[in-house]
Amino acid sequence: PSGKENFDRLLLELYDHSYPVKSTVLYFRPSIQSYPHNVLDAIGVSEYMSIRKDIVFNAYQTGRCEVLEILNKQTIWDMIRYSPETGFKLYPRQITQPLVKDHLEHLIYKLQTFEHFSLALTDAAFPFHVHTFEIRSGDVPEYFSLFMRRFIKQFIHDVSCFVVNDPLVYQSIHEHIVGWILSHPSTVRERKHVIEEIRVVLRHLE
Protein backbone atom coordinates (compact mmCIF):
# COMPACT_ATOMS: atom_id res chain seq x y z
CA PRO A 1 0.00 0.00 0.00
CA SER A 2 1.17 3.53 -0.71
CA GLY A 3 0.63 6.57 1.44
CA LYS A 4 0.66 7.11 5.18
CA GLU A 5 -2.98 6.26 5.89
CA ASN A 6 -3.02 3.12 3.75
CA PHE A 7 0.05 1.73 5.50
CA ASP A 8 -1.42 2.42 8.95
CA ARG A 9 -4.80 1.02 7.93
CA LEU A 10 -3.21 -2.19 6.63
CA LEU A 11 -1.45 -2.86 9.93
CA LEU A 12 -4.63 -2.07 11.84
CA GLU A 13 -6.65 -4.55 9.78
CA LEU A 14 -4.13 -7.32 10.47
CA TYR A 15 -4.87 -6.94 14.20
CA ASP A 16 -8.48 -5.72 14.19
CA HIS A 17 -10.44 -8.98 14.25
CA SER A 18 -11.44 -11.69 16.70
CA TYR A 19 -8.97 -14.39 15.60
CA PRO A 20 -5.83 -15.39 17.50
CA VAL A 21 -2.78 -13.74 15.95
CA LYS A 22 0.92 -14.32 16.36
CA SER A 23 3.19 -11.52 15.21
CA THR A 24 6.96 -11.09 14.91
CA VAL A 25 8.50 -7.68 14.33
CA LEU A 26 12.04 -6.85 13.22
CA TYR A 27 12.28 -3.07 13.09
CA PHE A 28 14.60 -0.12 13.68
CA ARG A 29 12.61 1.06 16.73
CA PRO A 30 9.95 -0.43 19.04
CA SER A 31 6.62 -0.95 17.29
CA ILE A 32 3.75 1.50 17.77
CA GLN A 33 1.95 -0.83 20.17
CA SER A 34 4.98 -0.57 22.49
CA TYR A 35 4.59 3.19 22.97
CA PRO A 36 2.61 4.59 25.92
CA HIS A 37 -0.33 6.78 24.98
CA ASN A 38 1.21 10.01 26.28
CA VAL A 39 4.17 9.57 23.92
CA LEU A 40 1.90 8.77 20.97
CA ASP A 41 -0.20 11.85 21.78
CA ALA A 42 2.91 14.04 21.89
CA ILE A 43 4.06 12.64 18.55
CA GLY A 44 0.64 13.18 17.02
CA VAL A 45 0.17 9.76 15.44
CA SER A 46 -2.71 8.86 13.15
CA GLU A 47 -6.03 7.59 14.47
CA TYR A 48 -5.23 4.19 12.93
CA MET A 49 -2.06 3.94 15.00
CA SER A 50 -3.80 4.88 18.22
CA ILE A 51 -6.57 2.34 17.63
CA ARG A 52 -4.02 -0.36 16.82
CA LYS A 53 -2.21 0.35 20.08
CA ASP A 54 -5.45 -0.16 22.05
CA ILE A 55 -6.45 -3.31 20.16
CA VAL A 56 -3.10 -5.00 20.71
CA PHE A 57 -2.96 -3.91 24.36
CA ASN A 58 -6.40 -5.43 24.99
CA ALA A 59 -5.45 -8.56 23.06
CA TYR A 60 -2.44 -9.07 25.35
CA GLN A 61 -4.80 -9.14 28.30
CA THR A 62 -7.14 -11.72 26.74
CA GLY A 63 -4.33 -13.80 25.28
CA ARG A 64 -5.62 -13.40 21.71
CA CYS A 65 -2.45 -11.71 20.50
CA GLU A 66 1.15 -12.86 20.91
CA VAL A 67 3.92 -10.53 19.80
CA LEU A 68 7.68 -10.96 19.63
CA GLU A 69 9.67 -7.82 18.92
CA ILE A 70 13.31 -8.10 17.92
CA LEU A 71 15.49 -5.02 18.26
CA ASN A 72 19.16 -4.38 17.86
CA LYS A 73 20.73 -3.54 21.23
CA GLN A 74 22.00 -0.30 19.73
CA THR A 75 18.37 0.73 19.12
CA ILE A 76 17.68 0.91 22.87
CA TRP A 77 20.67 3.21 23.26
CA ASP A 78 19.62 5.24 20.23
CA MET A 79 16.33 5.95 22.02
CA ILE A 80 18.24 8.14 24.52
CA ARG A 81 20.77 9.58 22.06
CA TYR A 82 20.23 13.35 22.06
CA SER A 83 21.42 16.22 19.93
CA PRO A 84 20.61 19.87 20.79
CA GLU A 85 20.00 20.51 17.10
CA THR A 86 17.67 17.59 16.32
CA GLY A 87 16.50 16.23 19.68
CA PHE A 88 16.29 12.53 20.50
CA LYS A 89 17.46 10.39 17.60
CA LEU A 90 14.44 8.09 17.24
CA TYR A 91 11.74 10.65 18.00
CA PRO A 92 10.35 13.86 16.55
CA ARG A 93 11.90 17.09 17.80
CA GLN A 94 9.11 17.81 20.33
CA ILE A 95 9.71 14.66 22.39
CA THR A 96 11.31 15.45 25.75
CA GLN A 97 13.48 13.47 28.15
CA PRO A 98 10.56 12.60 30.50
CA LEU A 99 8.63 11.13 27.55
CA VAL A 100 11.57 8.98 26.48
CA LYS A 101 11.83 7.81 30.09
CA ASP A 102 8.10 6.94 30.04
CA HIS A 103 8.61 4.92 26.88
CA LEU A 104 11.45 2.86 28.31
CA GLU A 105 9.54 2.29 31.55
CA HIS A 106 6.49 1.23 29.52
CA LEU A 107 8.58 -1.45 27.78
CA ILE A 108 9.60 -2.78 31.20
CA TYR A 109 5.98 -2.69 32.39
CA LYS A 110 4.83 -4.71 29.39
CA LEU A 111 7.55 -7.31 29.90
CA GLN A 112 6.63 -7.64 33.57
CA THR A 113 2.87 -7.74 32.98
CA PHE A 114 2.05 -9.54 29.72
CA GLU A 115 3.28 -13.05 29.03
CA HIS A 116 2.16 -12.68 25.40
CA PHE A 117 4.57 -9.82 24.77
CA SER A 118 8.24 -10.67 24.31
CA LEU A 119 11.25 -8.56 23.43
CA ALA A 120 14.58 -9.88 22.20
CA LEU A 121 17.70 -7.70 22.01
CA THR A 122 20.59 -8.62 19.75
CA ASP A 123 23.83 -7.44 18.18
CA ALA A 124 23.04 -9.44 15.06
CA ALA A 125 22.69 -7.16 12.05
CA PHE A 126 19.47 -7.15 10.05
CA PRO A 127 19.49 -4.31 7.49
CA PHE A 128 15.81 -4.74 6.68
CA HIS A 129 12.44 -4.42 8.40
CA VAL A 130 10.02 -7.36 8.46
CA HIS A 131 6.67 -7.85 10.18
CA THR A 132 5.04 -11.30 10.03
CA PHE A 133 1.55 -12.43 11.00
CA GLU A 134 0.03 -15.84 11.64
CA ILE A 135 -3.74 -15.35 11.87
CA ARG A 136 -5.65 -18.43 12.96
CA SER A 137 -8.90 -17.61 11.17
CA GLY A 138 -9.76 -21.22 10.33
CA ASP A 139 -8.44 -24.76 10.25
CA VAL A 140 -5.52 -23.50 8.18
CA PRO A 141 -3.92 -20.26 9.42
CA GLU A 142 -3.31 -17.30 7.16
CA TYR A 143 0.29 -16.14 6.86
CA PHE A 144 1.30 -12.59 5.95
CA SER A 145 4.80 -11.15 5.62
CA LEU A 146 5.32 -7.39 5.38
CA PHE A 147 8.59 -6.10 4.00
CA MET A 148 9.21 -2.46 4.91
CA ARG A 149 11.76 0.14 3.99
CA ARG A 150 12.50 3.43 5.70
CA PHE A 151 14.93 6.06 4.52
CA ILE A 152 15.82 7.81 7.78
CA LYS A 153 15.89 6.69 11.41
CA GLN A 154 13.24 9.00 12.78
CA PHE A 155 9.54 8.82 13.51
CA ILE A 156 8.56 10.14 10.09
CA HIS A 157 6.35 8.36 7.57
CA ASP A 158 8.65 7.55 4.69
CA VAL A 159 7.64 3.90 4.57
CA SER A 160 7.48 1.76 1.50
CA CYS A 161 5.98 -1.68 2.01
CA PHE A 162 4.77 -4.74 0.20
CA VAL A 163 2.86 -7.72 1.59
CA VAL A 164 3.12 -11.40 0.72
CA ASN A 165 0.34 -13.82 1.67
CA ASP A 166 2.27 -17.07 1.41
CA PRO A 167 3.03 -19.70 4.09
CA LEU A 168 6.32 -20.65 2.42
CA VAL A 169 7.62 -17.08 2.58
CA TYR A 170 6.55 -16.86 6.24
CA GLN A 171 8.24 -20.18 7.01
CA SER A 172 11.44 -19.15 5.25
CA ILE A 173 11.63 -15.87 7.19
CA HIS A 174 11.19 -17.64 10.52
CA GLU A 175 13.61 -20.45 9.74
CA HIS A 176 16.39 -18.47 8.11
CA ILE A 177 16.11 -14.96 9.60
CA VAL A 178 14.18 -15.02 12.88
CA GLY A 179 15.64 -18.37 13.90
CA TRP A 180 19.17 -17.23 13.12
CA ILE A 181 18.79 -13.99 15.10
CA LEU A 182 17.23 -15.72 18.12
CA SER A 183 20.08 -18.28 18.19
CA HIS A 184 22.79 -15.64 17.75
CA PRO A 185 25.29 -15.67 20.67
CA SER A 186 24.62 -11.99 21.41
CA THR A 187 20.82 -12.29 21.59
CA VAL A 188 19.16 -11.72 24.96
CA ARG A 189 15.68 -13.27 25.31
CA GLU A 190 15.05 -13.94 29.00
CA ARG A 191 12.71 -11.30 30.38
CA LYS A 192 14.77 -10.48 33.45
CA HIS A 193 17.90 -9.95 31.35
CA VAL A 194 16.08 -7.84 28.76
CA ILE A 195 14.61 -5.72 31.56
CA GLU A 196 18.04 -5.24 33.09
CA GLU A 197 19.44 -4.07 29.72
CA ILE A 198 16.66 -1.49 29.47
CA ARG A 199 17.27 -0.36 33.06
CA VAL A 200 20.94 0.25 32.28
CA VAL A 201 19.86 2.56 29.46
CA LEU A 202 17.36 4.27 31.77
CA ARG A 203 20.07 4.99 34.32
CA HIS A 204 22.14 6.71 31.63
CA LEU A 205 19.12 8.78 30.60
CA GLU A 206 18.53 9.96 34.16
Side-chain angles (χ1 to χ4, degrees):
S2 61
K4 172 181 175 179
E5 287 198 355
N6 288 335
F7 177 76
D8 292 342
R9 186 172 60 196
L10 167 67
L11 285 174
L12 174 59
E13 290 174 352
L14 288 167
Y15 284 111
D16 189 13
H17 49 76
S18 60
Y19 305 116
V21 57
K22 186 175 182 179
S23 175
T24 300
V25 188
L26 288 81
Y27 208 33
F28 80 99
R29 58 161 169 77
S31 66
I32 283 298
Q33 50 265 25
S34 295
Y35 285 62
H37 266 302
N38 63 328
V39 177
L40 294 180
D41 290 342
I43 291 170
V45 300
S46 72
E47 182 181 5
Y48 293 126
M49 284 185 172
S50 184
I51 294 172
R52 171 162 42 111
K53 153 77 177 179
D54 289 337
I55 287 172
V56 175
F57 191 84
N58 292 334
Y60 287 147
Q61 295 175 311
T62 63
R64 181 181 69 83
C65 185
E66 180 180 347
V67 174
L68 166 63
E69 294 196 25
I70 301 173
L71 294 173
N72 194 276
K73 291 179 183 179
Q74 185 60 47
T75 296
I76 301 295
W77 287 98
D78 283 347
M79 290 171 68
I80 68 168
R81 201 170 303 281
Y82 180 81
S83 163
E85 292 76 28
T86 59
F88 287 98
K89 183 175 181 178
L90 295 187
Y91 300 88
R93 185 68 180 86
Q94 70 269 23
I95 297 303
T96 60
Q97 188 263 10
L99 289 172
V100 176
K101 181 174 181 286
D102 286 349
H103 190 181
L104 290 165
E105 289 178 342
H106 188 68
L107 285 172
I108 292 174
Y109 163 76
K110 288 182 63 179
L111 287 166
Q112 292 175 328
T113 306
F114 302 117
E115 64 176 318
H116 292 286
F117 171 76
S118 300
L119 175 63
L121 301 176
T122 186
D123 286 328
F126 46 95
F128 42 76
H129 309 308
V130 180
H131 197 159
T132 66
F133 291 83
E134 176 188 328
I135 302 175
R136 295 187 286 280
S137 57
D139 293 337
V140 179
E142 297 179 87
Y143 296 95
F144 297 92
S145 302
L146 281 67
F147 298 87
M148 296 169 285
R149 182 183 179 188
R150 293 183 71 92
F151 300 97
I152 56 177
K153 283 193 170 183
Q154 283 186 319
F155 201 110
I156 299 174
H157 262 281
D158 54 355
V159 179
S160 61
C161 166
F162 69 92
V163 186
V164 179
N165 180 9
D166 188 323
L168 294 180
V169 172
Y170 177 97
Q171 181 181 357
S172 180
I173 290 170
H174 279 262
E175 287 183 357
H176 301 294
I177 299 176
V178 175
W180 173 74
I181 292 173
L182 293 181
S183 64
H184 194 273
S186 70
T187 300
V188 178
R189 296 185 63 185
E190 283 192 53
R191 289 175 186 269
K192 63 180 180 179
H193 297 314
V194 174
I195 289 171
E196 182 52 39
E197 296 240 1
I198 298 172
R199 283 180 171 152
V200 170
V201 175
L202 263 172
R203 288 195 287 270
H204 278 77
L205 178 65
E206 297 169 349

